[in-house]
Amino acid sequence: ADSAAQSVKRAGGNGFAFFEAHMQAGVREQVELARDLRAALAGEAGNGRLALHYQPKIATAEGEVTGVEALLRWNHPLRGAISPVVFIPVAERFGLIMPLGDWVIAESCRQIAVWREAGLQMRVAINLSMQQLRQPEALVRRFETALAQHGVDARYLTCEITESVAMDDASATERSLQRLAELGLSLSIDDFGTGYSSLAYLRRLPVSQLKIDRSFIQDLESSADARAIVKAVIELAHALGLQVVAEGVETEGQAEVLRGKRCDKLQGFLFARPMPADELTRWATSVPDDRLRFSASVYATL
Ligand code: C2E
Ligand code: MG
Ligand code: MG
Ligand code: MG
């Protein structure tokens, strides 16, 4: 952590050094971000807005929108948009991930209800942190409260858990996953392929979906190895009764390969970027179903 702070110092000197999305913030910046995030969570005016953006998941065969993934956005009052890759680790480190996660759960339930009022049955997948799963009772209560408050059925919610978190064999984690499944939520393993999980272990968890990590999707057209890995993952997942989603699909070529391998759902910039809720509503209601079936290129023009 010290060297990270030093490199930030070298880069900018005053603790307000510019940093890229994938660089870890230095210690001083983390402290400042944590303070500002706490203020944003408290809803204090002038401390920037938290929002969920939504990215569609598309059924490969039918071309229908089957649901969306909710991705957290924070518009910092001075720094502008800050990536969750930067502020989620800050929230985890400074004890803010529970309130932040609670906000995400409540906000997605509220939005599901808004969409329902507008006649759209939209399933929403939210991302969960390890620390949220470490407190099964608190987490389950939070879901129950938010679902009841907005009159939302649990089957409209999916929880995405990264592979490394799912492989954590702590009993609390496993109990959380069991309790969430009992509540009626679907569970999905995110960024699959980046960890070292055995499918034999995953099979014991109440999981219904695997999301293949973007790194494999990126290499689909250029690497025979990536194609072999993706093919094997899809076949094994299907043999275990799991649905497969490809994340980060950016080209028509990648989508073609994935269709050929019977990947169930596709998600990525080729179809749509994560969008604010009202934009997603317009997008979802303006894409004619029959056009979705044939080509992804139509999405780019909408
Ligand atoms: P993730 O859950 O794996 O989400 C996918 C990331 O890939 C998102 O980045 C999304 O915007 C991006 N993406 C989608 N399609 C494409 C594509 O075609 N190409 C490329 N290059 N990228 C694509 P984002 O929104 O910056 O989120 C990054 C990570 O932050 C997420 O990875 C997730 O781990 C975490 N995160 C986001 N929202 C939350 C949240 O509410 N709670 C928690 N605990 N983590 C979150
Ligand atoms: Mg995810
Ligand atoms: Mg992912
Ligand atoms: Mg990812």
Side-chain angles (χ1 to χ4, degrees), residues 190-191 213-214 247:
D190 207 348
D191 302 340
D213 191 64
R214 179 160 67 86
E247 68 171 24

Side-chain angles (χ1 to χ4, degrees), residues 69 71 127 160 190-191 211 247:
E69 176 175 6
L71 294 153
N127 293 283
E160 297 192 1
D190 207 348
D191 302 340
K211 294 185 75 172
E247 68 171 24

Side-chain angles (χ1 to χ4, degrees), residues 121-141:
Q121 300 211 326
M122 200 64 87
R123 286 167 195 266
V124 175
I126 63 176
N127 293 283
L128 292 187
S129 284
M130 165 83 93
Q131 284 173 40
Q132 289 173 280
L133 292 163
R134 289 215 178 108
Q135 304 177 53
E137 302 313 318
L139 184 62
V140 165
R141 220 174 309 119

Side-chain angles (χ1 to χ4, degrees), residues 54-107:
Y54 300 89
Q55 185 182 37
K57 297 184 184 180
I58 318 284
T60 312
E62 300 85 3
E64 284 166 359
V65 179
T66 62
V68 291
E69 176 175 6
L71 294 153
L72 192 52
R73 297 292 178 259
W74 180 26
N75 200 10
H76 188 280
L78 298 175
R79 298 169 188 229
I82 299 184
S83 167
V85 174
V86 172
F87 71 78
I88 294 286
V90 170
E92 286 173 335
R93 181 167 178 184
F94 290 86
L96 295 171
I97 197 67
M98 285 306 283
L100 194 60
D102 287 351
W103 186 86
V104 170
I105 293 168
E107 177 62 13

Side-chain angles (χ1 to χ4, degrees), residues 201-275:
Y201 173 75
L202 285 183
R203 204 166 59 93
R204 288 175 30 202
L205 302 174
V207 164
S208 58
Q209 186 179 82
L210 284 190
K211 294 185 75 172
I212 304 178
D213 191 64
R214 179 160 67 86
S215 54
F216 299 101
I217 309 305
Q218 256 173 344
D219 295 343
L220 272 182
E221 291 164 285
S222 60
S223 155
D225 284 354
R227 283 193 295 278
I229 291 168
V230 166
K231 179 171 190 274
V233 168
I234 292 173
E235 284 172 1
L236 198 48
H238 283 170
L240 295 173
L242 301 173
Q243 220 182 48
V244 186
V245 181
E247 68 171 24
V249 180
E250 293 183 351
T251 71
E252 194 65 65
Q254 292 162 358
E256 264 324 300
V257 175
L258 290 160
R259 275 185 203 112
K261 299 192 188 313
R262 302 280 179 270
C263 183
D264 303 284
K265 294 177 188 179
L266 309 177
Q267 187 183 353
F269 294 168
L270 175 64
F271 303 99
R273 293 187 175 254
M275 297 173 263

